[in-house]
Amino acid sequence: MSSAATESAVSNTAGSDKPTVTVLDYGSGNVRSAVRALERAGAVVTLSAKPEDVLNADGLVVPGVGAFGSVMDELKAVDALRMIGRRVAGGRAVLGICVGMQVLFDAGVEHGTHREGMGEWPGTVELLPAPVVPHMGWNTVTAAEGSMLFEGVESERFYFVHSYGVQKWDFEVLQPKMRPPMVTWSEHGAPFIAAVENGPLCATQFHPEKSGDAGARMLRNWVNSLTKAAR
């Protein structure tokens, strides 16, 4: 998106009751489909890595394409790790997509190389033990009970493109009143985490923007949650 288009998106928020969403622009590849899908879901969308846009939007989307380590390097280059951390600490909504979800876990191992992630959730991103990778195409999920993201699309299929995933979940509840994250699973060679909902921090391994009507409904659910949070 050009700077003029970004300024136009920002200016359009004036007098609008639509929630604002910033799609993090850090060189992760073609994100225009995500921008368009979020606009159709009812958000005013800005593609930017400027701190004022990242920190002040009602919602932040962190896309990700490519290798775990490369995405971590690109996020660090625009100071995104700090900004994402600030949003999460302040209870501000963040949605990670594909590798944008993977980097939220403890670590990733690709081609024998171990890289640290953001450590928001326990788990290591590893190669899927399947006869054929990447896992490319449509697949069903087993949605977490009470899921906000999957409301109305619990039995639908979503579009995946990945070779790596988190296959184990071991979340320690440190306080009796602590509400553990909701975890949604799918399977390719072995069960893997397809989505996590953890208060303001959500993420999907699949691409909702490429998942047809089901993905559109999921994005509307997320955008609608931003509207409710703003009330």
Side-chain angles (χ1 to χ4, degrees):
M1 183 180 289
S2 67
S3 59
T6 300
E7 291 172 3
S8 174
V10 172
S11 66
N12 285 343
T13 62
S16 172
D17 58 357
K18 293 183 177 181
T20 58
V21 172
T22 293
V23 175
L24 187 62
D25 183 18
Y26 66 98
S28 68
N30 184 8
V31 295
R32 294 187 183 276
S33 58
V35 170
R36 290 193 296 267
L38 287 158
E39 288 173 339
R40 289 193 295 268
V44 176
V45 185
T46 301
L47 179 61
S48 176
K50 295 179 180 179
E52 59 267 30
D53 295 329
V54 172
L55 296 173
N56 295 333
D58 296 320
L60 173 68
V61 171
V62 183
V65 177
F68 185 104
S70 296
V71 169
M72 282 295 294
D73 290 339
E74 290 164 353
L75 289 170
K76 289 177 181 178
V78 296
D79 198 26
L81 303 187
R82 180 187 64 85
M83 293 189 289
I84 293 169
R86 280 188 59 182
R87 286 191 63 94
V88 173
R92 306 295 301 282
V94 176
L95 175 66
I97 295 176
C98 198
V99 186
M101 166 180 163
Q102 294 179 359
V103 294
L104 294 168
F105 286 88
D106 284 334
V109 178
E110 295 189 10
H111 307 295
T113 301
H114 182 281
R115 288 292 302 271
E116 289 188 2
M118 294 186 64
E120 293 291 341
W121 299 317
T124 301
V125 180
E126 299 176 291
L127 184 66
L128 296 173
V132 177
V133 290
H135 172 216
M136 182 180 296
W138 298 84
N139 205 345
T140 56
V141 301
T142 302
E145 185 177 353
S147 167
M148 173 272 292
L149 288 180
F150 293 94
E151 183 179 358
V153 288
E154 297 89 344
S155 302
E156 299 295 332
R157 298 191 302 164
F158 298 87
Y159 190 78
F160 293 83
V161 183
H162 65 119
S163 298
Y164 297 81
V166 177
Q167 298 156 47
K168 297 178 182 178
W169 177 260
D170 185 16
F171 185 89
E172 183 180 0
V173 177
L174 300 177
Q175 301 175 4
K177 295 183 179 180
M178 185 177 184
R179 188 174 182 180
M182 296 182 182
V183 180
T184 290
W185 295 83
S186 188
E187 186 167 344
H188 184 71
F192 66 87
I193 295 176
V196 181
E197 298 168 66
N198 187 194
L201 182 60
C202 298
T204 67
Q205 178 62 72
F206 57 84
H207 288 270
E209 77 280 9
K210 298 179 181 179
S211 296
D213 291 342
R217 171 62 186 271
M218 195 222 84
L219 288 176
R220 283 199 303 274
N221 289 343
W222 183 71
V223 169
N224 288 341
S225 76
L226 304 179
T227 304
K228 293 174 183 177
R231 291 175 182 170

